[in-house]
Amino acid sequence: MISTVDGAVAGADGRSGSINGPADWRAFRVMRALADVVLVGAGTARSEGYTALSAPTDLVGLRERTVGSAPLAVAVVTGSGGVPERLADAAARPDGAGPVWVVTTRSGAVRAVEHVREDRVVVAGEDDVDLATALAALADHGLRRVLCEGGPGLLSSMLEEDLVDELCLSTAPTVVGGPSPRAVSGSEVLSPAREARLEHLLHADGVLLARWNLRTDGTSPVG
């Protein structure tokens, strides 16, 4: 996640791309190279123009040494089963990029199979998406290193269910004001609040890049 100094996760255009820069982009690319799957909410996937993903070509060696040769997958979380157009197009016309998965409810699965292969639809919950069940199902398919790219609502739900191991948060050296949500934006205050231990803090071009460990008790949400 990235936010401005005043806590906004998007600029005037409503997209995170308008507040990030080269330093954050470098860290973002490395995190993708080290992941099995990128987990993203349907709203964020739609507004940010997500499509099927590939590991950065200059980081393929790093990926093969740490993760293996499997392609980078993307999994969109959608209770209704609706898939953003660009992801649906990528699933229908694979071009060598990684697979597109859909995490949805039982009723949403009926709609999801109109866009992706049935064996890439993860049914997790009846009326609402059960994220713990979803992560366990993805792990069963070998997708254990999950990079959650938001948006704020999905991240809030992940935190509420205690499913986040680390939070990588960049702070852009800008102030934008306005109504943009925070990096974690849910309907409820987390109770109890999650403790975090700072593992890394880097600085480049005015950007602060922090990695916070949220597993201060040494536990993990998924075996």
Side-chain angles (χ1 to χ4, degrees):
M1 302 295 289
I2 184 170
S3 74
T4 62
V5 172
D6 58 323
V9 297
D13 61 355
R15 301 179 64 180
S16 63
S18 60
I19 62 171
N20 64 19
D24 179 69
W25 178 241
R26 289 197 298 271
F28 180 78
R29 293 172 74 253
V30 171
M31 284 186 277
R32 280 194 170 180
L34 297 176
D36 293 320
V37 59
V38 168
L39 188 71
V40 61
T44 294
R46 187 173 293 106
S47 63
E48 299 283 350
Y50 274 63
T51 186
L53 304 178
S54 299
T57 55
D58 58 321
L59 296 176
V60 168
L62 170 66
R63 180 175 180 80
E64 290 180 345
R65 292 193 302 272
T66 55
V67 179
S69 58
L72 175 62
V74 58
V76 59
V77 180
T78 164
S80 69
V83 178
E85 184 176 357
R86 290 190 66 188
L87 278 174
D89 288 346
R93 294 188 293 273
D95 58 0
V100 177
W101 292 74
V102 176
V103 174
T104 189
T105 59
R106 188 164 303 281
S107 59
V110 176
R111 185 179 179 188
V113 295
E114 298 175 0
H115 305 291
V116 302
R117 289 171 19 187
E118 186 174 2
D119 61 347
R120 289 191 176 144
V121 176
V122 173
V123 178
E126 295 293 332
D127 300 314
D128 298 301
V129 174
D130 183 323
L131 292 169
T133 298
L135 291 182
L138 291 172
D140 287 342
H141 289 284
L143 305 174
R144 296 180 175 276
R145 298 176 181 86
V146 180
L147 175 61
C148 179
E149 294 183 358
L154 177 58
L155 179 55
S156 177
S157 296
M158 294 277 286
L159 286 165
E160 288 173 6
E161 297 187 32
D162 199 22
L163 299 173
V164 181
D165 296 322
E166 295 181 339
L167 174 61
C168 294
L169 180 64
S170 297
T171 303
T174 186
V175 176
V176 300
S180 175
R182 296 158 53 191
V184 179
S185 182
S187 58
E188 302 291 337
V189 174
L190 295 176
S191 181
R194 303 294 183 265
E195 293 186 5
R197 182 175 67 243
L198 184 63
E199 298 287 350
H200 287 108
L201 182 62
L202 306 177
H203 172 266
D205 303 324
V207 179
L208 297 178
L209 303 104
R211 182 168 70 89
W212 297 92
N213 182 356
L214 302 187
R215 293 287 166 205
T216 55
D217 59 358
T219 61
S220 180
V222 178

